Amino acid sequence: MKEVTNQMNKQPSVLAVMAHPDDAELRCFGTLLKYKEIGYECKLLVVSGGENGISLQDKLEYNIDYIPKTEREHETRSAFENTGIEIDILQFDDGNIRLDKSLIAAIEKVIRDFAPDVVITHCPEDLGVDHQDHSAVGKAAINIASRVEGVKKILLCEPLLTLRAGFIPNYFVDITKYFNRKMEALSHHKTQHGRYYLEEHYHVAKSVFYSLSLGAKPVEEGLKHEVFNAIFTLET
């Protein structure tokens, strides 16, 4: 009975499980801020340090082979500074994350310890359109969240190449209030400068596209959204 009472009194919580630094800022930063504002405890788990997040052009132009993990980790911690959102970063090898027992065990420990009501993670896809690390992390997090009692909602984030990946959102979060803070958070990722998906016009265009799905008023009002595929919800 004591255990049941403790669960009833527990502050609701949300855990985002992402593969790399900047993934959460791109996909669910506004959503996490919104959850935080309505009283949820929020945590971000980043599986790798993102040290291999260098394009071939960057390698040639700057003559570098990798980015120090500490540098990309610092960018994410700076992006989330003053949000009240806790960040944990694991040390899996960027670009070589595999769906295996090591990955599942590491993520499962965090999920069981934190006991989230909501889990947000990558949308896995098998066509090879999205980053391979995203699919591995997404599958692991879904596997665990589907087995752990207490998870009431699982939200899968939008891939960058939405249509090619076959992503169809069914869960829309209005982040208009937090949009400028999202753009500011993305600006902290100096090591990724020049990538189109970090630019404001990319996120504005996405929001217009999804507002069209919601009707004329969201477009006219310039509302901004982060979108997800909700694969599990439990109303209590």
Side-chain angles (χ1 to χ4, degrees), residues 177-195:
K177 179 179 179 180
Y178 314 100
F179 184 75
N180 289 339
R181 291 182 67 183
K182 177 186 177 86
M183 292 302 103
E184 181 183 350
L186 288 171
S187 73
H188 285 272
H189 292 275
K190 304 297 185 185
T191 62
Q192 306 300 294
H193 179 73
R195 298 181 188 274

Side-chain angles (χ1 to χ4, degrees), residues 161-227:
L161 297 176
T162 309
L163 298 179
R164 292 188 192 182
F167 180 82
I168 301 176
N170 59 12
Y171 195 93
F172 295 71
V173 179
D174 182 347
I175 64 158
T176 308
K177 179 179 179 180
Y178 314 100
F179 184 75
N180 289 339
R181 291 182 67 183
K182 177 186 177 86
M183 292 302 103
E184 181 183 350
L186 288 171
S187 73
H188 285 272
H189 292 275
K190 304 297 185 185
T191 62
Q192 306 300 294
H193 179 73
R195 298 181 188 274
Y196 72 92
Y197 49 78
L198 295 178
E199 302 298 329
E200 182 172 346
H201 62 78
Y202 169 83
H203 295 276
V204 170
K206 286 253 181 175
S207 287
V208 171
F209 176 76
Y210 286 120
S211 290
L212 288 169
S213 301
L214 298 175
K217 187 175 180 181
V219 179
E220 293 169 357
E221 295 181 354
L223 300 184
K224 308 294 191 299
H225 294 87
E226 287 175 339
V227 300

Side-chain angles (χ1 to χ4, degrees), residues 8-234:
M8 291 177 63
N9 295 332
K10 174 183 170 293
Q11 180 183 2
S13 58
V14 54
L15 174 68
V17 183
M18 298 284 114
H20 312 107
D22 81 11
D23 283 342
E25 292 88 314
L26 283 165
R27 295 167 171 82
C28 60
F29 186 84
T31 299
L32 289 173
L33 291 187
K34 193 164 192 173
Y35 270 116
K36 185 71 178 176
E37 186 169 308
I38 63 175
Y40 278 68
E41 182 180 4
C42 296
K43 183 171 184 172
L44 167 62
L45 175 65
V46 182
V47 173
S48 80
E51 67 277 9
N52 291 317
I54 306 172
S55 68
L56 292 176
Q57 181 179 349
D58 290 342
K59 287 185 178 183
L60 292 173
E61 184 174 352
Y62 301 112
N63 193 30
I64 53 176
D65 292 321
Y66 72 96
I67 303 169
K69 288 185 177 183
T70 53
E71 190 168 350
R72 292 209 66 192
E73 290 175 10
H74 174 71
E75 289 174 342
T76 279
R77 293 190 186 280
S78 296
F80 276 89
E81 191 174 10
N82 299 322
T83 64
I85 296 172
E86 181 184 353
I87 299 175
D88 275 358
I89 300 178
L90 304 178
Q91 296 301 318
F92 282 78
D93 185 17
D94 176 21
N96 291 303
I97 299 176
R98 298 287 182 266
L99 180 60
D100 58 21
K101 64 180 181 180
S102 296
L103 178 65
I104 290 176
I107 296 176
E108 183 163 356
K109 183 180 188 310
V110 176
I111 289 181
R112 289 193 180 277
D113 288 348
F114 188 62
D117 297 88
V118 180
V119 171
I120 301 174
T121 192
H122 296 283
C123 180
E125 56 87 24
D126 295 321
L127 295 175
V129 174
D130 202 18
H131 196 296
Q132 67 274 13
D133 287 352
H134 296 170
S135 289
V137 170
K139 288 179 180 179
I142 293 167
N143 174 279
I144 299 155
S146 298
R147 292 186 284 106
V148 173
E149 292 186 11
V151 175
K152 300 179 179 65
K153 186 179 296 180
I154 302 174
L155 300 177
L156 306 185
C157 295
E158 176 188 21
L160 289 179
L161 297 176
T162 309
L163 298 179
R164 292 188 192 182
F167 180 82
I168 301 176
N170 59 12
Y171 195 93
F172 295 71
V173 179
D174 182 347
I175 64 158
T176 308
K177 179 179 179 180
Y178 314 100
F179 184 75
N180 289 339
R181 291 182 67 183
K182 177 186 177 86
M183 292 302 103
E184 181 183 350
L186 288 171
S187 73
H188 285 272
H189 292 275
K190 304 297 185 185
T191 62
Q192 306 300 294
H193 179 73
R195 298 181 188 274
Y196 72 92
Y197 49 78
L198 295 178
E199 302 298 329
E200 182 172 346
H201 62 78
Y202 169 83
H203 295 276
V204 170
K206 286 253 181 175
S207 287
V208 171
F209 176 76
Y210 286 120
S211 290
L212 288 169
S213 301
L214 298 175
K217 187 175 180 181
V219 179
E220 293 169 357
E221 295 181 354
L223 300 184
K224 308 294 191 299
H225 294 87
E226 287 175 339
V227 300
F228 306 87
N229 188 294
I231 62 167
F232 175 73
T233 56
L234 174 64

